[in-house]
Amino acid sequence: MRRSLPFLAGAALVVVLSAPAVADSGGDDGFTIKDPRITESSGLAASHLHPGVYWTHNDSDDGAYLYAVDSRTGRTVATVTMTGVGAPRDVEAISIGPDGDLYVGDIGDNLGGKWDHVWIYRLPEPKVLKDQTVRATQYVVKYADGPRNAEALMVHPKTGRVYIVDKDEDGGHLYEGPSRLSASGTNVFRPVAPVDLWATDAAFSPDGRQLAVRGYFGGIAYQWNGGKIKREGRLNVPLQGQGESVTYSPDGSKLMYGSEGADSAVQPEDAPGSDGSGAKSPSNGGGSSADGGDGGGLSGGFKVGALAVAAACAVLFGFRRLLRRG
């Protein structure tokens, strides 16, 4: 997804001054994606069938590929090629439904909300982890209030209903899809609640009671409340070079945050309610308020010095990407 030059300049200043520590112990303690093909990891989903495995994908300029990454080693253990979906444009999100299927959101819009439709791809999660080709079902999606850019797609773990959060610097909306997606017609997603965040991804807790929405420098925890979301507080989102993804660990105790770039880190934070430290009350200090933009407290554990060099490299990656897509 194209980023503005002021955004990248601001990210450069913040990231170089405060680079996050990277956990190296693997699993739900965090890991680094080591596959050189994965340079723009934009979505993340914990496998339902394979403990310790997380599904991810590049966002664009790649193809119809999904990667299964072993969180204990950071290595790709299977590459899935989707067929029956045409040529993806801007794949930004992945989620797993209660039916065990993978839902892939080709919902980004590098034209800033000009495409009159986007797509969702659905395929069964492979029972065996090996390189393989899997046929997917393609769904056409339109928004009731016109085209828009989005990077967050979530499937509710109880109802199986699909939701999208659009991406807007001034705050977006939660969009609700039909009760069942139709492969033969257009699926209209309707706005049901405001989301006060420039959202890059979102995820439901395994029990379906909470919704976590992340942005580049922060996030918001919501009570699901039957779809009438109620803000609980700010999430402790680690500061990353280009924070793009979030998913819950399988037991719901952690939120796993991912970012773009080569050798990108997936970093854990306690989920809201797990230890009482996963979300901050809006009255607490730290971080900018979600009402003022990209809210969310920043997690601790920052390093400077040598890690700042790596952060600067991430910023340079962003500038190169901007120039390529400009």
Side-chain angles (χ1 to χ4, degrees):
M1 180 55 63
R2 184 184 303 158
R3 306 318 191 255
S4 66
L5 190 59
F7 166 75
L8 288 173
L13 178 61
V14 174
V15 173
V16 171
L17 290 177
S18 304
V22 177
D24 294 322
S25 55
D28 293 344
D29 292 327
F31 59 97
T32 297
I33 297 174
K34 298 178 180 179
D35 191 329
R37 297 172 298 175
I38 305 173
T39 58
E40 296 182 344
S41 174
S42 293
L44 202 63
S47 170
H48 284 191
L49 297 179
H50 310 287
V53 168
Y54 286 82
W55 291 95
T56 190
H57 53 82
N58 289 310
D59 67 355
S60 57
D61 301 327
D62 185 20
Y65 304 120
L66 304 177
Y67 304 95
V69 179
D70 185 345
S71 63
R72 288 162 291 237
T73 65
R75 301 188 183 281
T76 298
V77 292
T79 301
V80 171
T81 303
M82 294 182 289
T83 62
V85 301
R89 288 187 299 209
D90 194 352
V91 180
E92 292 286 355
I94 186 168
S95 184
I96 301 183
D99 52 8
D101 284 357
L102 294 165
Y103 292 72
V104 182
D106 191 354
I107 56 175
D109 189 344
N110 282 324
L111 299 178
K114 297 297 190 297
W115 289 325
D116 66 352
H117 69 279
V118 292
W119 298 301
I120 294 173
Y121 313 131
R122 178 180 176 183
L123 65 156
E125 182 179 14
K127 294 180 180 179
V128 178
L129 290 177
K130 64 179 182 178
D131 292 352
Q132 58 192 291
T133 298
V134 179
R135 186 167 187 84
T137 301
Q138 179 169 313
Y139 301 97
V140 175
V141 170
K142 291 188 176 182
Y143 300 96
D145 51 357
R148 57 205 55 253
N149 180 31
E151 296 190 10
L153 176 145
M154 315 80 67
V155 183
H156 194 274
K158 302 300 181 182
T159 68
R161 198 162 197 154
V162 183
Y163 294 84
I164 292 173
V165 178
D166 68 332
K167 183 182 181 185
D168 192 306
E169 292 182 48
D170 297 323
H173 285 81
L174 173 71
Y175 285 81
E176 182 182 72
S179 58
R180 293 181 181 273
L181 295 177
S182 169
S184 60
T186 299
N187 298 273
V188 178
F189 278 61
R190 305 183 185 280
V192 294
V195 174
D196 298 322
L197 195 70
W198 191 14
T200 59
D201 203 6
F204 283 113
S205 60
D207 61 11
R209 296 180 180 179
Q210 291 181 312
L211 174 66
V213 185
R214 77 157 299 171
Y216 290 115
F217 302 118
I220 303 176
Y222 291 99
Q223 291 181 11
W224 180 238
N225 198 27
K228 299 178 180 179
I229 57 175
K230 181 179 179 182
R231 176 174 166 159
E232 289 186 324
R234 296 182 301 240
L235 293 170
N236 288 326
V237 177
L239 190 60
Q240 297 172 313
Q242 190 169 310
E244 289 282 341
S245 59
V246 66
T247 190
Y248 276 83
S249 61
D251 64 1
S253 66
K254 300 286 186 182
L255 280 166
M256 309 295 288
Y257 294 97
S259 66
E260 288 195 5
D263 297 318
S264 60
V266 175
Q267 299 171 252
E269 292 286 348
D270 289 331
S274 59
D275 289 324
S277 58
K280 295 181 179 180
S281 166
S283 61
N284 287 349
S288 59
S289 169
D291 296 331
D294 199 10
L298 302 179
S299 66
F302 294 112
K303 292 183 179 180
V304 294
L307 286 176
V309 176
C313 291
V315 173
L316 290 175
F317 164 81
F319 276 106
R320 288 198 303 270
R321 191 170 172 215
L322 176 68
L323 292 174
R324 187 179 78 231
R325 297 191 178 183

